[in-house]
Amino acid sequence: MAASGGRSRSGDSMDKSITLPADEIFRNLENAKRFAIDIGGSLTKLAYYSTVQHKVAKVRSFDHSGKDADHELLYEISEQEEITARLHFIKFENTYIETCLDFIKDHLVNTETKVIKATGGGAYKFKDLIEKKLGLKVDKEDEMTCLIKGCNFVLKNIPHEAFIYVKHADPEFRFQTTHPNIFPYLLVNIGSGVSIVKVETEDKFERIGGSSIGGGTFWGLGALLTKTKKFDELLHLAAKGHHTNVDMLVKDIYGGAYQILGLTGNLIASSFGKSATVDKEFSKEDMAKSLLHMISNDIGQLACLYAKQHNLSQVYFGGFFIRGHPVTMHTITYSINFFSKGEVQALFLRHEGYLGTIGAFLKGAEEDNPNMYSWGENYAGSSGLMSTSPDIYPVQRTRSGTFDMLEMDRLERQVVNLPLLSDPSSYVPDTVDLTEDVTAREYWLTCFEDALEGVTKRAVASQPDAKDAEERVQKFQQKYWNKLQTLRHQPFAYGSLTVRSLLDTREHCLNEFDFPDPYSKVKQKENDIALKYFQKVIKSLDSLRWEEKQFALVKGLLAGNVFDWGAKAVSEVLESNSEFGLEEAKKKLQERPWLVDTYDNWIERLRGPPHKCALIFVDNSGIDIILGVFPFVRELLARGTEVILACNSGPALNDVTYNESLIVTERIAAMDTTIQSALQDERLILVQTGSSSPCLDLR
């Protein structure tokens, strides 16, 4: 891995078999403050906290009654530097540890860091090397405590962290929606032995059981049976083997199924049973497969018994025995399903390999109280989950010699589920899972590829005075294109693939290269134009009879929603026809009945008493919010209904942000007494959602 790029000095180099530049792996080292390390038998996981400086878009209202009276524009746009917190987690083979420590030492600027938190068995082995290379004192943390802390952290902060494994499916991962309350759960950690831990709260857990028959048993017995010393090679042998050549099945004893006891003929009656009765040599592959089944079945039965004894339905598996290997995930899944009769599912974690180092880092960062905040996965800087199935994605098997990265960005505030959600655990914000729907996936990936050129043009146009905008936008374009290609082959890389996650990935990549709001100029222009028509639209609506007015208001809402630059067909119209406005959009609406049509129920309800409160999630700038949403809001306010307008906290496409909505509302209030009095009486309230996504997610 030859070190290159802006922050790397000439002469820095790493193993040539690694292709990523060093400063793309150990990012923001110059701002790193705290370190933690988890060293296992073959893999090292490093964690550090850094501060990231990036551009954010700001809007400021012009004072149209005072010194800014000559300005035609509603507000001015500026970009300011802001500093946010980021967590970095990097996983690599132990063979690279010395070279990586040298690189970190050469680039470490922050001399205030004195201690590195460490966990894992290798922390003892490499203690002297770490202290010598980094000049940091190694502070050892309890391995199980770190594991639990790390597990709690990823379950709380990454929506699609847990998955079930389905062999021969395409893709083989089925992601689960994490319940808002993650406790209690069972963690089955399969290292050399097995530890079964009941986790009840953030700080309360108990080892309720375990076994000496675990990953070390598979490795040790496997080495004796096959003369294969490497764990991964042993698993590779097992993947090609047939356990039925070695194991004695029920049908080998009874000639078929044992129906009275409900045992099928293909069930294993005795692991390695045939080796005592059949006079022949058994292949390494078959013996490895039989051994894997024997140990997995034992662990699966133990896990089921403890889950039932403690009435726990959430059972997560981790440890070096799992480590994303399809053959181990499949055998564990089969075992759990068999012994629980389908009542318990085996759950695996996307970032299982990082749990120890995340926990060690959190132990060292308790003074900053990272659990006070919410953290989000930064798709631009994270490797994502890779398939290890040689049958489905053979190209990914070469990945074992590379570095994996996970980056988590701290959100401005702690986010929670919308309190109005009746059942957050069953709420799914997306209508289509592109991970499973191949046709839809190809359609949407192609849409995003086709839209990339237009996004890059708007990104450059949003920063007309920036001399390096062209260079940065090329880097953005390349990175996002690469992400799209990765998602074509590994749609499960960041959990369930959806239109929302594709849009979020694009926003993350834009922010990575300091394009915080590519549509800022578009939104500014749209808002200015729409405001000029507001009073005319209101006057036209007020002249209608009651029923005509209600229908016109609803059509205005629907037509306003057309003005979404995220829709391919709409963006083509808006690009080619600058005169396309609200009336043109209304003409494009289909006649009733609409796809979802409850208009008659709505009208019937309006004939009754006013609603107490209406919560409206605002979408697009310009015509949508000003000529579609606000006339509708005005009508609700006139009926005596309180209204809450919820807007994105940060920019995404041409969606109106909270700060922009404040300025727009202020101008509308100056033109309309209904809006003005509602603001003054706090019957109209503007709030932010905590989101910077173009899609609604009430979690």
Side-chain angles (χ1 to χ4, degrees):
M1 179 182 73
S4 63
R7 290 190 294 274
S8 298
R9 299 194 290 273
S10 59
D12 292 326
S13 63
M14 289 192 182
D15 191 290
K16 292 180 181 176
S17 66
I18 308 302
T19 55
L20 272 178
D23 62 345
E24 285 190 24
I25 294 172
F26 300 102
R27 304 193 329 150
N28 305 315
L29 264 179
E30 65 273 24
N31 298 320
K33 289 188 175 180
R34 288 186 186 83
F35 286 86
I37 197 164
D38 174 14
I39 307 175
S42 59
L43 291 174
T44 295
K45 287 79 70 177
L46 180 75
Y48 60 93
Y49 167 99
S50 79
T51 51
V52 183
Q53 188 166 310
H54 62 96
K55 285 187 171 67
V56 292
K58 298 285 187 180
V59 293
R60 183 186 75 87
S61 176
F62 285 119
D63 179 7
H64 291 86
S65 62
K67 57 185 176 62
D68 298 322
D70 294 335
H71 280 284
E72 290 187 10
L73 296 175
L74 175 63
Y75 53 80
E76 66 173 335
I77 304 166
S78 64
E79 289 180 349
Q80 299 173 14
E81 297 290 342
E82 218 171 66
I83 293 175
T84 56
R86 178 173 290 174
L87 301 180
H88 304 257
F89 305 101
I90 302 148
K91 182 168 60 177
F92 52 88
E93 292 175 6
N94 288 353
T95 48
Y96 298 111
I97 189 168
E98 193 162 352
T99 317
C100 290
L101 291 175
D102 280 335
F103 184 83
I104 293 167
K105 178 186 175 184
D106 289 345
H107 293 73
L108 192 58
V109 176
N110 187 350
T111 55
E112 294 176 14
T113 302
K114 304 295 182 188
V115 174
I116 181 168
K117 291 286 184 178
T119 189
Y124 292 108
K125 180 181 176 181
F126 292 99
K127 177 177 182 290
D128 293 341
L129 178 67
I130 295 167
E131 291 187 341
K132 177 185 173 186
K133 291 285 185 184
L134 298 184
L136 301 176
K137 181 180 180 296
V138 172
D139 187 8
K140 185 81 168 61
E141 290 289 346
D142 175 68
E143 195 168 353
M144 188 56 68
T145 303
C146 291
L147 199 67
I148 300 299
K149 275 190 170 292
C151 192
N152 293 342
F153 183 84
V154 295
L155 288 174
K156 284 193 302 183
N157 288 285
I158 301 179
H160 290 152
E161 176 61 29
F163 64 89
I164 59 173
Y165 182 79
V166 185
K167 190 180 180 184
H168 300 312
D170 182 11
E172 65 265 45
F173 306 99
R174 294 286 183 269
F175 293 96
Q176 309 296 295
T177 301
T178 306
H179 194 283
N181 182 12
I182 64 172
F183 306 109
Y185 65 85
L186 201 67
L187 179 63
V188 182
N189 189 51
I190 314 170
S192 300
V194 179
S195 286
I196 299 177
V197 184
K198 179 183 179 182
V199 185
E200 296 185 69
T201 66
E202 192 69 50
D203 301 305
K204 185 181 178 183
F205 64 88
E206 177 190 2
R207 185 184 188 275
I208 56 175
S211 171
S212 61
I213 301 171
T217 315
F218 173 71
W219 198 348
L221 280 177
L224 291 172
L225 289 167
T226 68
K227 309 304 179 190
T228 301
K229 294 292 185 182
K230 291 190 176 179
F231 185 80
D232 286 356
E233 287 180 14
L234 198 57
L235 282 174
H236 192 60
L237 286 174
K240 295 189 290 184
H242 298 280
H243 76 96
T244 54
N245 293 332
V246 182
D247 293 340
M248 187 177 289
L249 308 182
V250 169
K251 66 182 178 183
D252 295 324
I253 301 173
Y254 298 105
Y258 194 163
Q259 293 180 343
I260 293 176
L261 296 181
L263 304 176
T264 64
N266 289 322
L267 198 66
I268 298 172
S270 175
S271 295
F272 287 93
K274 287 179 181 175
S275 61
T277 58
V278 179
D279 187 19
K280 71 167 189 175
E281 289 290 319
F282 296 99
S283 72
K284 292 180 179 180
E285 290 83 358
D286 292 347
M287 288 190 291
K289 189 61 169 284
S290 175
L291 182 61
L292 181 68
H293 274 283
M294 182 179 80
I295 290 170
S296 296
N297 286 340
D298 184 61
I299 295 169
Q301 186 171 29
L302 265 180
C304 277
L305 290 171
Y306 279 109
K308 287 185 175 182
Q309 182 184 3
H310 292 269
N311 196 28
L312 297 170
S313 58
Q314 299 176 99
V315 184
Y316 300 101
F317 287 83
F320 87 84
F321 182 71
I322 303 293
R323 223 172 67 195
H325 285 286
V327 66
T328 56
M329 290 192 294
H330 172 64
T331 51
I332 288 287
T333 298
Y334 177 85
S335 173
I336 284 284
N337 189 57
F338 175 79
F339 287 112
S340 74
K341 295 182 170 59
E343 292 178 10
V344 179
Q345 282 187 324
L347 294 168
F348 305 96
L349 301 171
R350 277 176 57 207
H351 300 103
E352 180 271 325
Y354 293 109
L355 302 187
T357 189
I358 291 173
F361 174 83
L362 293 173
K363 287 285 287 181
E366 284 176 343
E367 63 191 71
D368 289 337
N369 203 352
N371 282 322
M372 276 181 58
Y373 303 94
S374 291
W375 300 79
E377 184 175 2
N378 176 21
Y379 299 145
S382 298
S383 308
L385 181 68
M386 293 293 179
S387 171
T388 49
S389 170
D391 304 319
I392 298 177
Y393 300 110
V395 68
Q396 294 309 323
R397 296 297 294 180
T398 62
R399 179 119 189 234
S400 59
T402 65
F403 287 52
D404 280 353
M405 290 89 71
L406 165 65
E407 290 185 358
M408 303 281 288
D409 286 339
R410 192 176 78 188
L411 307 183
E412 285 185 28
R413 60 192 60 79
Q414 194 168 40
V415 293
V416 296
N417 290 293
L418 180 73
L420 296 175
L421 277 178
S422 58
D423 182 13
S425 61
S426 64
Y427 168 71
V428 179
D430 307 291
T431 52
V432 181
D433 186 345
L434 304 181
T435 322
E436 299 182 20
D437 191 329
V438 179
T439 305
R441 180 166 77 234
E442 283 303 308
Y443 170 81
W444 281 105
L445 285 169
T446 302
C447 279
F448 278 91
E449 287 173 353
D450 293 345
L452 190 50
E453 187 178 349
V455 174
T456 57
K457 285 179 180 176
R458 275 184 281 279
V460 173
S462 71
Q463 298 179 359
D465 301 325
K467 294 178 181 178
D468 64 342
E470 201 64 56
E471 179 188 347
R472 284 185 287 114
V473 88
Q474 292 304 319
K475 290 179 180 177
F476 152 73
Q477 193 169 15
Q478 186 61 55
K479 184 152 200 170
Y480 188 58
W481 177 266
N482 290 343
K483 290 285 181 187
L484 291 175
Q485 304 323 303
T486 296
L487 290 167
R488 277 192 183 279
H489 298 291
Q490 293 132 222
F492 45 77
Y494 301 109
S496 292
L497 183 66
T498 62
V499 176
R500 179 172 51 86
S501 67
L502 284 169
L503 287 162
D504 288 347
T505 305
R506 187 167 70 186
E507 295 298 324
H508 291 183
C509 291
L510 283 165
N511 280 311
E512 191 70 23
F513 296 102
D514 276 337
F515 292 105
D517 194 357
Y519 288 81
S520 57
K521 302 288 185 187
V522 173
K523 291 187 290 181
Q524 184 187 41
K525 182 181 177 182
E526 288 178 342
N527 286 331
D528 283 326
I529 292 172
L531 276 168
K532 293 174 182 175
Y533 290 93
F534 176 75
Q535 287 176 303
K536 182 180 177 182
V537 167
I538 293 300
K539 186 177 180 182
S540 172
L541 287 166
D542 286 346
S543 68
L544 300 174
R545 290 185 298 108
W546 186 83
E547 284 198 9
E548 290 176 337
K549 182 179 183 180
Q550 303 313 313
F551 189 61
L553 285 166
V554 170
K555 283 189 72 175
L557 267 182
L558 295 174
N561 199 49
V562 166
F563 293 83
D564 189 334
W565 284 85
K568 183 181 177 183
V570 173
S571 62
E572 288 173 355
V573 171
L574 297 177
E575 289 273 22
S576 60
N577 183 6
S578 60
E579 299 300 314
F580 189 82
L582 184 66
E583 293 308 313
E584 286 76 15
K586 283 182 179 179
K587 292 172 186 174
K588 294 281 185 182
L589 294 178
Q590 69 182 69
E591 295 297 318
R592 289 188 66 202
W594 298 315
L595 183 63
V596 177
D597 194 328
T598 55
Y599 178 74
D600 293 336
N601 296 356
W602 170 248
I603 288 298
E604 190 62 32
R605 176 63 184 81
L606 286 185
R607 296 185 191 279
H611 299 83
K612 181 182 177 183
C613 183
L615 171 60
I616 300 177
F617 291 90
V618 182
D619 194 5
N620 311 300
S621 292
I623 288 174
D624 189 4
I625 182 173
I626 295 170
L627 304 184
V629 172
F630 261 104
F632 186 78
V633 167
R634 182 176 176 270
E635 184 73 7
L636 291 177
L637 291 169
R639 278 174 49 80
T641 299
E642 294 180 12
V643 177
I644 301 170
L645 289 184
C647 307
N648 268 9
S649 297
L653 291 172
N654 69 318
D655 293 357
V656 64
T657 65
Y658 171 70
N659 288 330
E660 290 162 351
S661 73
L662 292 176
I663 298 172
V664 166
T665 305
E666 181 187 5
R667 281 300 304 278
I668 290 176
M671 294 186 275
D672 190 277
T673 54
T674 302
I675 302 294
Q676 188 177 57
S677 63
L679 276 175
Q680 290 171 349
D681 299 341
E682 295 186 344
R683 290 184 295 108
L684 172 59
I685 300 171
L686 278 69
V687 298
Q688 48 186 320
T689 62
S691 170
S692 298
S693 172
C695 296
L696 195 61
D697 184 352
L698 302 180
R699 293 173 302 186

